[in-house]
Amino acid sequence: MINGGFEDYLECPLEITANPTDLEELLGNWWSASDQTPDFFHYCGGLQEPFGGAFPENNVWGGQAPHSGKGMAGFAISCGDQFGDYLATKLSSALTINKQYKISYWISNGDSRFLEVLGVACRTNGIEVLFTPQEIYWNDGTLMSGFTPQIGPADYIVTDSLNWVSFSHLFQVEQECQHMTIGRWSPSVLDSNCTCFDPRSAAGNVYFYIDDISIKEVVPIEFPNVFTPNGDAYNRVFQIRGYCGDLIIYNRWGQLIAEVSNDQGWNGRVNGEDAPEGTYFCITDDQKHKGAFQLLR
């Protein structure tokens, strides 16, 4: 990801966007994928008038502190699915087939001042994410059609407008993709107390703040069954591929002989001496992975 936390900017936002090109002019690496206007919020602008201001904690959508740092983005979806904003970006490197990825992000449900005045909460069950080889653009303000997002909507309705809610999804792509678009393609599943108002009043909008978007390749856990710390350049340390925590090593009698980070790995020594050949056991510090392996010299 490039600027997944919306911290870096070309120009400080002083008001929410008024046309589709504003977001790219402010952020550079994020833009609108349609004729609608997703928004950028940052503390750099100082406190502005609530209506139209881009100050995170005081704006027309109710206000929210960023999940982390000083910036965040936001986008609207009409309660009746007449229109939707789309956030688009180009990834730092392409996603490829036959690999598994994990996308993570944080969402908070913004309430517009119209909804607050009317005392009605209008919310849907989350967002969707689409990965494509090329940049896409929808040249009107309606919801996009003809696309199948790799990340579908959440199983539950996002209702929290006070706190941030964490989302993460595992996914694969069927072709090499370097462009990501966040928004809504499926019909909304609405909260039971959601009422769609006249779109001209802007009261029928569902609004999401989004922050700290990241994408990582998921490397399968590979537990080796042998390692050879014999002085050559191969298999010098015992490590578990795809694991990020600590390793706890026991000998065949169940005695603890080493506890090391997986990044460092176990070098086959105990108290400065070479451990004897034989069978050893390893458990990861999260207790999720364990197995036996052979030490050979």
Side-chain angles (χ1 to χ4, degrees), residues 184-200:
R184 188 76 181 198
W185 287 262
S186 302
S188 297
V189 177
L190 299 175
D191 187 307
S192 60
N193 66 348
C194 176
T195 302
C196 290
F197 303 99
D198 184 346
R200 291 171 296 178

Side-chain angles (χ1 to χ4, degrees), residues 118-263:
L118 293 168
V120 177
C122 190
R123 301 179 170 103
T124 71
N125 63 329
I127 65 172
E128 296 173 294
V129 186
L130 174 68
F131 298 94
T132 53
Q134 293 85 29
E135 177 185 345
I136 61 174
Y137 188 79
W138 196 249
N139 61 357
D140 65 31
T142 62
L143 260 65
M144 289 186 185
S145 62
F147 298 95
T148 303
Q150 289 85 352
I151 308 298
D155 294 330
Y156 61 94
I157 293 173
V158 181
T159 61
D160 200 332
S161 60
L162 298 177
N163 304 294
W164 288 91
V165 181
S166 174
F167 286 86
S168 61
H169 310 272
L170 298 176
F171 69 97
Q172 292 180 308
V173 293
E174 297 181 352
Q175 56 185 324
E176 187 173 280
C177 296
Q178 198 167 357
H179 288 265
M180 179 178 72
T181 307
I182 299 173
R184 188 76 181 198
W185 287 262
S186 302
S188 297
V189 177
L190 299 175
D191 187 307
S192 60
N193 66 348
C194 176
T195 302
C196 290
F197 303 99
D198 184 346
R200 291 171 296 178
S201 72
N205 298 348
V206 182
Y207 199 82
F208 293 114
Y209 295 112
I210 187 167
D211 201 3
D212 292 334
I213 308 167
S214 66
I215 298 175
K216 296 181 180 179
E217 180 185 348
V218 178
V219 180
I221 297 291
E222 291 186 7
F223 204 110
N225 57 17
V226 64
F227 89 115
T228 57
N230 54 13
D232 63 15
Y234 304 98
N235 295 323
R236 295 175 296 127
V237 295
F238 177 84
Q239 293 172 303
I240 299 177
R241 185 175 183 267
Y243 189 70
C244 298
D246 293 340
L247 308 180
I248 306 168
I249 311 294
Y250 297 89
N251 62 20
R252 61 189 304 176
W253 297 282
Q255 296 170 318
L256 175 64
I257 60 171
E259 186 170 356
V260 297
S261 70
N262 189 53
D263 287 341

Side-chain angles (χ1 to χ4, degrees), residues 71-152:
M72 62 185 185
F75 56 97
I77 303 168
S78 68
C79 181
D81 291 334
Q82 294 97 343
F83 74 87
D85 291 340
Y86 294 92
L87 280 166
T89 190
K90 183 177 181 179
L91 303 177
S92 56
S93 59
L95 308 179
T96 59
I97 62 174
N98 300 322
K99 290 185 178 181
Q100 188 173 52
Y101 298 92
K102 179 180 180 180
I103 182 172
S104 302
Y105 51 87
W106 292 80
I107 292 288
S108 182
N109 198 133
D111 290 330
S112 78
R113 67 174 188 171
F114 297 103
L115 299 183
E116 290 177 336
V117 169
L118 293 168
V120 177
C122 190
R123 301 179 170 103
T124 71
N125 63 329
I127 65 172
E128 296 173 294
V129 186
L130 174 68
F131 298 94
T132 53
Q134 293 85 29
E135 177 185 345
I136 61 174
Y137 188 79
W138 196 249
N139 61 357
D140 65 31
T142 62
L143 260 65
M144 289 186 185
S145 62
F147 298 95
T148 303
Q150 289 85 352
I151 308 298

